[in-house]
């Protein structure tokens, strides 16, 4: 799957965004993602792991890989724009 196709899939960017704060277990991640279904969560985590954006640690928590961290840096300006837009600026 092409990187942009993966990022365009529902929940992919949200999972990456939530993991920017640090490692998280699947249950906690699901709660942060407004209760998405477990099957979708594990499917997206598998795809993001296969793409090299997320890694699963020995304690079963998920975290961003180096590539995932660099993607987060690239998304930061988009987040800033979205915040300005939401304020009506």
């Amino acid at each position: 799957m092409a990187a942009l196709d993966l990022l365009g899939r529902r929940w992919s960017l949200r999972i990456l965004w939530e993991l920017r704060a640090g490692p998280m277990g699947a249950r906690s991640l699901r709660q942060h993602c407004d209760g998405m279904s477990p099957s979708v969560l594990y499917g997206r985590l598998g795809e993001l792991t296969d793409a090299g954006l997320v890694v699963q640690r020995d304690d079963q928590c998920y975290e961003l890989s180096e590539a995932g961290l660099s993607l987060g840096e690239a998304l930061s300006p988009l987040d800033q724009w979205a915040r300005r837009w939401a304020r009506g600026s």
Side-chain angles (χ1 to χ4, degrees):
M1 175 179 308
L4 285 179
D5 290 336
L6 173 58
L7 296 177
R9 296 194 73 183
R10 187 169 188 201
W11 297 110
S12 292
L13 283 174
R14 177 68 183 269
I15 290 169
L16 294 169
W17 187 252
E18 295 300 337
L19 289 175
R20 80 194 184 287
M24 202 177 291
R27 181 173 294 178
S28 181
L29 187 55
R30 186 168 171 243
Q31 291 171 341
H32 279 83
C33 292
D34 302 320
M36 86 173 84
S37 74
S39 62
V40 171
L41 173 63
Y42 286 110
R44 291 300 176 273
L45 285 169
E47 293 167 350
L48 293 166
T49 300
D50 290 346
L53 298 172
V54 171
V55 294
Q56 187 175 21
R57 303 179 341 171
D58 291 339
D59 65 359
Q60 304 305 306
C61 286
Y62 294 89
E63 67 182 344
L64 295 176
S65 66
E66 289 298 320
L69 288 167
S70 69
L71 176 61
E73 292 170 10
L75 292 175
S76 184
L78 180 59
D79 176 54
Q80 292 170 7
W81 176 87
R83 290 173 189 271
R84 284 192 310 271
W85 179 81
R87 289 191 308 261
S89 303

